[in-house]
Amino acid sequence: MSSAESATDLDQLVLPAIPPAHLLSGQVAALQVTDRLRRGTQIVGRFETSGLAGFKIAAQGRPLRVRMTLSVDEVSVTGWHTDATGPPSPLPRLVQIRSQGRLRQCVLLRGRKAHAQVAFDLAAEEIPDDGLICVEALDIMEGAGVCEDVRSAVAGRILPDGVAGLRLDKIVFEEPPPVDFDPDTLDGSRCELYSLISGGGLANLNRQGTRLLRSGMFVVNPVLRNTFGGTGRITLRLGTRAEPASVLPTTWRRMNSELRWLRHATKKIVRAAAPSVEQILSIRDGDAGPPDQRRQGNVTELELASLVRSPLLVLITPVPGVVPTLESGTSH
């Protein structure tokens, strides 16, 4: 019997994807391992719940940059894969993105048309000889390495089983560029597109301008080397906006919406409408100490050192009828 006749499907040689590799489907051979991820045809796949995807990549001893696009839609509910779905929840999702066993970034997704960008670098020594790169999406309440203070702070404020139905739309493996020529200042939406912050996801990836932070919190992620925020400090400018009457309960719309708008407008006139950061928590280590914030008129400037190891969760003091906003980020 020849060796060819004795071969089985398990013996088939799988060729790894060669960087730069843009993977847009779950039907590619490079997607070698899945755990609670349903493969897609026009997307890489959809998670049933917290799960994992493993890709075989020909890194050849080089570091790699990994970029991902995640999103939610009307199917992104618990039990979607068993047709035992419940009603959609207005609560946001807080999801850990891990790779090779380490927490890389966190994403906050709110609504049913939210897209999140994720980007992180893998050192050459983190990639095994077989080229298998594993990417996990875990609910913030699951797994090790997340401070219990963080879980206590978001309990009741985020959706349980936040990975349920999450789409992995695209994943890219490429060599990190030697230098990214980024601007010194990004508006709020660009901060989210660059994955520096995650404040609920972007419905339109081409949107520019102020970013509304309706969840009253946002994540600041570790920055990429040689990119915006990669050295020195980062200044985030936070503002506020009066909540439109249409999103308030009926009784509030009739009795208080105009009064609240006038109050907020008056505060802006006297330059006293700046928001207040309540607490900053390291996802890994907990309380990061008193926020380094200063008010300048209607804007609060939040100063942060460039992050390299753990995302930060920023909690904003709630004010009824007012939505906090991210105006811009500046890299020093």
Side-chain angles (χ1 to χ4, degrees):
M1 180 182 296
S2 68
S3 59
E5 293 172 337
S6 63
T8 69
D9 289 341
L10 297 178
D11 299 315
Q12 292 180 356
L13 178 64
V14 176
L15 296 177
I18 300 174
H22 295 245
L23 306 183
L24 308 174
S25 167
Q27 307 305 312
V28 296
L31 179 53
Q32 284 287 284
V33 180
T34 60
D35 180 13
R36 290 172 289 186
L37 176 81
R38 297 290 183 94
R39 295 172 183 255
T41 53
Q42 297 183 344
I43 62 174
V44 176
R46 189 188 294 271
F47 289 97
E48 298 175 3
T49 182
S50 293
L52 172 149
F55 301 88
K56 191 168 184 179
I57 307 297
Q60 298 178 330
R62 298 167 295 178
L64 288 178
R65 177 160 295 173
V66 183
R67 295 189 288 113
M68 304 165 55
T69 300
L70 304 169
S71 66
V72 293
D73 56 21
E74 65 279 355
V75 183
S76 301
V77 291
T78 299
W80 68 270
H81 56 291
T82 62
D83 294 327
T85 60
S89 171
L91 294 175
R93 306 159 184 259
L94 184 53
V95 177
Q96 310 169 59
I97 302 301
R98 296 174 175 263
S99 182
Q100 310 304 74
R102 281 184 49 200
L103 175 63
R104 306 292 172 167
Q105 291 194 340
C106 287
V107 294
L108 185 73
L109 286 163
R110 182 182 184 275
R112 289 185 289 173
K113 294 183 179 180
H115 294 75
Q117 304 297 303
V118 176
F120 57 88
D121 287 342
L122 294 174
E125 57 268 22
E126 294 183 286
I127 305 172
D129 293 339
D130 63 5
L132 186 64
I133 296 176
C134 293
V135 177
E136 298 174 85
L138 272 70
D139 185 85
I140 196 67
M141 297 298 184
E142 298 183 37
V146 175
C147 180
E148 287 304 317
D149 289 345
V150 172
R151 290 172 170 162
S152 297
V154 299
R157 298 179 60 176
I158 61 169
L159 181 71
D161 193 16
V163 187
L166 182 68
R167 291 167 42 130
L168 174 51
D169 293 327
K170 174 182 179 180
I171 187 164
V172 177
F173 299 92
E174 60 189 358
E175 289 189 65
V179 176
D180 280 355
F181 295 96
D182 295 328
D184 293 332
T185 299
L186 298 173
D187 63 34
S189 295
R190 298 294 97 180
C191 284
E192 188 146 11
L193 186 67
Y194 274 55
S195 81
L196 172 65
I197 73 111
S198 186
L202 295 170
N204 181 355
L205 296 180
N206 295 317
R207 180 176 176 175
Q208 299 185 30
T210 298
R211 181 72 180 97
L212 297 179
L213 304 172
R214 292 193 179 278
S215 301
M217 56 183 165
F218 64 96
V219 174
V220 184
N221 279 309
V223 296
L224 297 171
R225 186 179 179 184
N226 297 325
T227 63
F228 181 90
T231 58
R233 297 181 66 81
I234 301 168
T235 300
L236 299 178
R237 291 172 56 88
L238 304 173
T240 55
R241 181 175 296 183
E243 184 72 89
S246 61
V247 303
L248 297 173
T250 303
T251 54
W252 285 80
R253 288 206 303 269
R254 291 176 178 174
M255 299 176 59
N256 291 326
S257 62
E258 290 187 10
L259 178 60
R260 291 186 181 278
W261 186 90
L262 287 172
R263 283 177 180 170
H264 187 260
T266 302
K267 284 186 175 182
K268 282 208 163 188
I269 291 173
V270 300
R271 301 182 68 78
S276 177
V277 175
E278 178 182 341
Q279 188 179 21
I280 299 179
L281 295 163
S282 164
I283 299 293
R284 188 190 64 179
D285 302 319
D287 195 341
D292 184 0
Q293 59 182 322
R294 60 181 180 272
R295 294 189 177 189
Q296 294 190 350
N298 295 325
V299 171
T300 295
E301 292 191 341
L302 178 64
E303 293 279 348
L304 299 169
S306 294
L307 307 180
V308 294
R309 300 189 66 182
S310 172
L312 296 179
L313 178 67
V314 179
L315 303 175
I316 303 173
T317 303
V319 178
V322 173
V323 182
T325 63
L326 174 63
E327 306 290 331
S328 66
T330 300
S331 175
H332 304 286

